[in-house]
Amino acid sequence: MKFLYILVMALAQAPSSMGQAIYVSPSGSDRQSGTARKPVQTLHAAQRLARDGAGEKPVTVILRDGDYFLTEPLVLTGEDSGSRRFPVVYRAEHEGKAILSGGTPLKLSWEPYRDGIFKASYRGGAPIDELYIDGEKLRMARYPNFDPAKRAEPYRGAAADAISPERVAKWADPAGGYIHAMHVSLWGGFDYRITGKDAAGKLTYEGGWQNNRPAEMHPRFRMVEGIFEELDAAGEWFEDRKTGTLYVIPPAGCDLAKAAVVGARLDSLVKVQGSRENPVRHVQFDGLTFRHTARTFMLNKEPLLRSDWTIFRGGAVTFSQTEDCDLRNCFIDRPGGNGVFVDNYNRRLRLSGLHIFGSGASAVAFVGDPAAVRNPVFNYYAPHDIANVDRKPGPQSENYPMECVLEDSLIHEVGTVDKQAAGVQISMSRRITVRNCSIYDTSRAGININEGTWGGHLIDGCDVFRTVQETGDHGSFNSWGRDRFWVPNPDEVAAAVANEPSLPFLDAIEPVVIQNSRWRCDHGWDIDLDDGSSNYIIRNNLLLKGGLKLREGYRRIVTNNVIVQNTLHPHVWYPESGDVFTGNVVMASYRPAVMRPGKWGQLIDKNLFASNDADRRAFSENGADHHSVVGDPKFVDPANGDFRILNAGLANAFGFKNFRMDRFGVRKASLKAIAEKPLLDFRPAGVTPASRSAFLWMGAKLIQPQDQELSAYGVGFDTRALAVLEISPDSLLGGKQGLQKGDLILSVDGIAVQDIEDIRKVVQQSRAGSRVFCIVRAQKQVSLSLSPVRLDAPRVE
């Protein structure tokens, strides 16, 4: 009887537990039933079939090998949800071989035009944004031409004369082309659509909204594309939208008569898009390839909070208003904009085993709703009154990503179009985990956290290198913390926090942990915690080149890290920052910028200087390193990246504990096999700043800041100027209306100044009247007009 009862119950439950498999094939038909023998042809047809029983039984949509050319994105809503027990799965029959394409196959008849150019007519459809021939992505006709060897130059080729009057005069009709130019301080870039030429022949264009700290175009790093007269190199193309004609110089070895040609048109392929009342739940994508998406740089308009960034809320795959969804083992191939965009409310989204290559913007972005932020401020210089901000901690709604994971993924060639891009961008989110990811070849940061809202993130086991390749003043890991407690004036912040110590943690309510990772940045810092970044724990990291920067912020705990060939860079610390730097290995004296006299932080001590005792004692007057040690750590195998310490006695003397150095980056076997590794060029000696001498002038002590120190003033590393180290308030140049400590002097009476000889030139050429100083103060350029004063010659200190 017991056996019969079990059998009856099993049969009763069988209908709800039996799975449904829906087959899709490029050679199928949407009039068929979706079985293995009668597959449907489109994902939209499969979606309709999958809704029958979704969440009540297992539903798997199986995509057979081939190209699925979408005419519109696949949009999944709450009606497409599965359940925890029975998720809805969209899966490639063979990993990577089911390809979702945002392009249109073009059947063309090519004919020779001139100078190696071929042309073909086509009709219908939206304008083509990117062109692929036999899988190779061609480039719009451009000047200067693309040079793959120029890895560290913006756009892989830039020229000061890109939009010069002489060049513009050669263009008959440039309308529809684009200008791409870097920010003058290399904080990302700007993009413009050319609208034509005016009656005087001057170029007209619109755009430039892609950077939230507006400035002039960089005078040298500029490029134009989409202009017929610049079609002059193999692998370039041009579309004449008025006549419906494509012009191409084919790549070497290409037979256009036999070539497969695809034009990218859609900017998004899959949108998992629920509502707050009915989120999309328990939907999974597995083993798919996403390809041929259009660029989105002209849609990149929304500013993020008080940063340089603007964004477009979309990607090749977009998740919005979801719970417990999953994207795994997928290849996102050269997306024109973002690879994956995690938009507003998302809970427990898991991204794993991804390969994202050649993204026009960020590879993965987690971005919440500004309306969830208390006292949101968007512009860096916008008025902000600390006294009147909301004192309630945390967000004011749930419309943001939380407890989402990106893990075991390979991300490279990031920011091919948008230069303000990152391998992983996190903004207005909470408890985001980035684990075991390899990220390299990025235009800007590998991982960027845009503000302190709301912390709790974990960066663990990552390998991040060859970053900040086309920009400047940044790091492989980069963050800001320009939250409601922060304004550009450090004295104002320090005074407010002294009276109310909880202010920095109203938004940064949980610590961000960076651990067990390897970082290398050759054009900035390995780890860069910038303006106001607060509540961080940084431990067990290997920093290979650029060192660690901590700028204005509170409670950064840095322990047990190995900083190879570099050191700590303290910039503009608050008097009671609560920072801790202990148990770390450094190889050079610290590199401070605009630091106050007196004790720095809560504790800077018990570190190892693998250089000399002079480096250890360099900042003893600031309370640093009285119990630190000096010696040779005897690394296990530095030539192969193993910086564990063999000298156990020395390690014990400063409390260091070895950590594993063979598990950085992606672990999935197929991705690990192709993932690159950072350059290991270890030299026993650390990086020592070039020798400079301060000098005295009119009651001011001046010095020329160099390279990374210039970040403290908010200017590019190529800026040449003089910093005011000290100044007497009673001096002729000081006082209430004059120069202040921390000012950066760019020019005096129109004469650029960068050393003592320039000041002597100013004195020699002085004239009657007021003195006009062009300075940078609180990261903003201003002019000071001082009452007539007689200028004395400078003197060496």
Side-chain angles (χ1 to χ4, degrees):
M1 289 295 293
K2 183 177 181 181
F3 172 79
L4 181 62
Y5 173 79
I6 293 173
L7 178 62
V8 170
M9 292 300 295
L11 291 173
Q13 295 176 16
S16 64
S17 60
M18 291 173 60
Q20 178 184 11
I22 301 164
Y23 286 83
V24 192
S25 169
S27 60
S29 169
D30 286 355
R31 293 187 295 272
Q32 297 184 151
S33 58
T35 63
R37 298 183 62 183
K38 296 183 177 181
V40 295
Q41 186 180 45
T42 69
L43 273 76
H44 293 86
Q47 177 189 20
R48 290 190 292 271
L49 293 173
R51 284 179 173 175
D52 182 19
E56 298 177 359
K57 59 185 177 182
V59 177
T60 302
V61 177
I62 301 171
L63 281 72
R64 288 185 168 156
D65 299 355
D67 295 307
Y68 296 84
F69 293 102
L70 305 182
T71 58
E72 60 182 1
L74 175 69
V75 180
L76 276 65
T77 68
E79 296 179 67
D80 299 293
S81 290
S83 63
R84 186 177 301 277
R85 184 180 180 189
F86 301 125
V88 173
V89 180
Y90 287 76
R91 176 175 61 81
E93 189 170 40
H94 301 103
E95 184 177 319
K97 294 186 177 181
I99 300 166
L100 277 59
S101 169
T104 301
L106 302 175
K107 304 299 182 182
L108 304 169
S109 297
W110 296 98
E111 60 182 82
Y113 177 61
R114 68 171 191 235
D115 301 326
I117 302 171
F118 288 78
K119 70 175 184 177
S121 297
Y122 77 98
R123 298 291 178 187
I128 295 169
D129 181 70
E130 299 202 274
L131 191 71
Y132 292 77
I133 294 183
D134 287 339
E136 181 177 347
K137 183 166 73 171
L138 276 61
R139 301 186 179 278
M140 278 188 179
R142 53 170 278 174
Y143 174 78
N145 290 332
F146 179 84
D147 184 347
K150 294 182 177 178
R151 181 182 292 275
E153 181 170 289
Y155 312 112
R156 303 284 178 95
D161 68 340
I163 55 172
S164 66
E166 295 78 13
R167 191 147 212 105
V168 170
K170 300 176 183 178
W171 304 335
D173 183 11
Y178 298 104
I179 304 167
H180 304 280
M182 298 302 293
H183 188 285
V184 69
S185 296
L186 295 180
W187 298 335
F190 303 104
D191 306 287
Y192 304 85
R193 181 185 292 110
I194 299 172
T195 56
K197 294 196 283 188
D198 62 18
K202 185 178 179 181
L203 198 66
T204 58
Y205 47 87
E206 62 182 4
W209 44 66
Q210 296 85 0
N211 198 292
N212 196 27
R213 290 179 74 172
E216 299 295 322
M217 297 185 199
H218 196 283
R220 184 163 65 91
F221 296 134
R222 304 176 177 189
M223 181 268 282
V224 292
E225 64 172 356
I227 297 171
F228 180 70
E229 287 80 3
E230 303 299 347
L231 181 59
D232 61 0
E236 288 188 347
W237 67 280
F238 174 79
E239 176 189 13
D240 187 332
R241 295 174 184 173
K242 293 179 180 178
T243 64
T245 306
L246 280 178
Y247 297 86
V248 168
I249 301 179
C254 174
D255 183 354
L256 283 178
K258 299 178 181 178
V261 183
V262 176
R265 285 173 169 153
L266 296 182
D267 59 44
S268 184
L269 300 176
V270 173
K271 297 181 178 181
V272 186
Q273 190 171 301
S275 65
R276 190 65 190 90
E277 298 75 24
N278 187 20
V280 182
R281 297 184 172 97
H282 301 288
V283 172
Q284 301 175 4
F285 298 88
D286 192 351
L288 305 175
T289 291
F290 301 89
R291 185 172 286 160
H292 303 145
T293 55
R295 300 174 301 174
T296 58
F297 58 90
M298 290 305 294
L299 302 174
N300 186 358
K301 295 183 177 182
E302 180 186 339
L304 293 183
L305 302 182
R306 298 180 92 178
S307 73
D308 313 341
W309 283 66
T310 60
I311 58 161
F312 168 64
R313 287 184 182 265
V317 183
T318 303
F319 292 91
S320 180
Q321 309 295 326
T322 76
E323 295 177 359
D324 301 292
C325 289
D326 201 326
L327 181 72
R328 63 178 69 170
N329 305 318
C330 291
F331 179 30
I332 303 179
D333 181 17
R334 294 165 290 181
N338 300 306
V340 180
F341 198 92
V342 184
D343 180 33
N344 289 332
Y345 179 85
N346 287 272
R347 295 294 184 271
R348 299 172 298 281
L349 172 67
R350 184 169 294 271
L351 311 172
S352 62
L354 304 184
H355 182 191
I356 305 178
F357 165 68
S359 58
S362 293
V364 180
F366 300 89
V367 183
D369 180 5
V373 180
R374 300 178 190 277
N375 308 114
V377 179
F378 294 92
N379 186 272
Y380 182 94
Y381 298 110
H384 183 60
D385 184 1
I386 301 175
N388 293 322
V389 299
D390 188 340
R391 260 48 180 185
K392 187 172 182 179
Q396 57 185 0
S397 82
E398 295 185 343
N399 199 25
Y400 55 88
M402 179 171 170
E403 295 177 345
C404 301
V405 176
L406 167 66
E407 64 182 352
D408 203 9
S409 294
L410 172 59
I411 294 169
H412 55 125
E413 291 286 350
V414 175
T416 61
V417 183
D418 294 17
K419 301 310 173 187
Q420 194 69 293
V424 181
Q425 166 71 346
I426 301 173
S427 175
M428 296 172 286
S429 301
R430 188 174 182 184
R431 297 179 189 164
I432 305 300
T433 295
V434 183
R435 179 191 297 124
N436 302 131
C437 291
S438 292
I439 303 171
Y440 53 89
D441 290 339
T442 68
S443 62
R444 203 141 171 73
I447 300 174
N448 189 80
I449 296 181
N450 193 76
E451 69 285 306
T453 53
W454 287 276
H457 313 306
L458 173 63
I459 314 299
D460 187 19
C462 292
D463 200 10
V464 186
F465 55 96
R466 293 208 303 260
T467 61
V468 196
Q469 298 219 103
E470 300 176 67
T471 58
D473 193 7
H474 218 53
S476 286
F477 174 86
N478 198 90
S479 65
W480 299 283
R482 300 166 186 152
D483 306 322
R484 53 185 132 155
F485 81 95
W486 186 88
V487 294
N489 186 332
D491 293 332
E492 185 177 345
V493 173
V497 176
N499 291 327
E500 199 170 351
S502 62
L503 278 175
F505 311 106
L506 294 176
D507 290 307
I509 53 180
E510 296 180 300
V512 175
V513 177
I514 304 173
Q515 65 182 20
N516 305 322
S517 296
R518 180 167 62 185
W519 309 88
R520 175 165 180 147
C521 186
D522 288 53
H523 308 102
W525 297 272
D526 296 335
I527 295 179
D528 179 1
L529 271 58
D530 209 355
D531 300 343
S533 296
S534 298
N535 209 1
Y536 275 76
I537 297 171
I538 302 173
R539 63 194 177 203
N540 296 357
N541 294 277
L542 174 59
L543 283 65
L544 289 174
K545 185 69 173 182
L548 169 72
K549 171 186 155 192
L550 301 178
R551 191 182 165 120
E552 307 157 66
Y554 290 90
R555 197 193 297 160
R556 284 82 59 93
I557 313 301
V558 182
T559 61
N560 216 72
N561 302 279
V562 178
I563 303 178
V564 178
Q565 300 177 157
N566 215 301
T567 189
L568 169 67
H569 297 246
H571 285 198
V572 201
W573 283 13
Y574 301 122
E576 301 296 331
S577 68
D579 291 326
V580 171
F581 186 81
T582 187
N584 303 287
V585 179
V586 299
M587 296 189 175
S589 174
Y590 304 144
R591 297 281 301 275
V594 195
M595 292 290 285
R596 301 167 186 266
K599 187 175 184 294
W600 293 347
Q602 178 178 319
L603 176 67
I604 302 180
D605 206 357
K606 297 199 75 174
N607 298 295
L608 168 63
F609 286 81
S611 53
N612 55 66
D613 197 55
D615 286 345
R616 182 191 68 83
R617 292 183 287 102
F619 299 100
S620 59
E621 65 182 19
N622 302 109
D625 298 306
H626 294 300
H627 303 94
S628 293
V629 297
V630 177
D632 182 358
K634 300 188 185 301
F635 295 127
V636 172
D637 187 6
N640 291 299
D642 190 342
F643 289 88
R644 288 177 297 162
I645 295 177
L646 283 174
N647 190 336
L650 191 61
N652 291 335
F654 71 105
F656 184 85
K657 294 182 179 179
N658 281 320
F659 55 93
R660 294 193 66 165
M661 296 194 177
D662 60 350
R663 302 190 69 181
F664 302 121
V666 64
R667 296 185 181 181
K668 182 181 177 182
S670 60
L671 297 180
K672 186 175 182 178
I674 61 174
E676 296 186 33
K677 300 291 191 294
L679 175 66
L680 297 170
D681 57 353
F682 172 68
R683 300 185 308 276
V687 176
T688 302
S691 177
R692 296 164 296 154
S693 296
F695 62 93
L696 302 175
W697 184 49
M698 305 283 291
K701 184 177 181 180
L702 307 179
I703 198 168
Q704 180 185 345
Q706 295 179 349
D707 301 328
Q708 293 170 317
E709 294 174 328
L710 287 157
S711 173
Y713 302 91
V715 298
F717 288 1
D718 59 351
T719 303
R720 294 296 172 260
L722 287 169
V724 180
L725 293 180
E726 302 287 348
I727 188 165
S728 169
D730 300 326
S731 68
L732 293 174
L733 298 182
K736 191 172 183 180
Q737 302 301 320
L739 294 175
Q740 300 175 11
K741 178 181 176 180
D743 286 345
L744 188 71
I745 306 172
L746 302 176
S747 66
V748 182
D749 291 343
I751 300 174
V753 294
Q754 62 178 337
D755 55 30
I756 192 169
E757 294 303 321
D758 290 330
I759 296 298
R760 287 175 178 145
K761 186 187 302 182
V762 169
V763 174
Q764 291 169 1
Q765 298 182 14
S766 64
R767 59 186 184 277
S770 298
R771 306 270 78 82
V772 179
F773 285 73
C774 180
I775 68 168
V776 174
R777 178 179 293 170
Q779 300 198 34
K780 191 171 185 178
Q781 188 169 311
V782 297
S783 291
L784 297 178
S785 292
L786 278 64
S787 299
V789 294
R790 185 177 65 82
L791 298 180
D792 296 331
R795 59 186 176 85
V796 177
E797 185 178 16

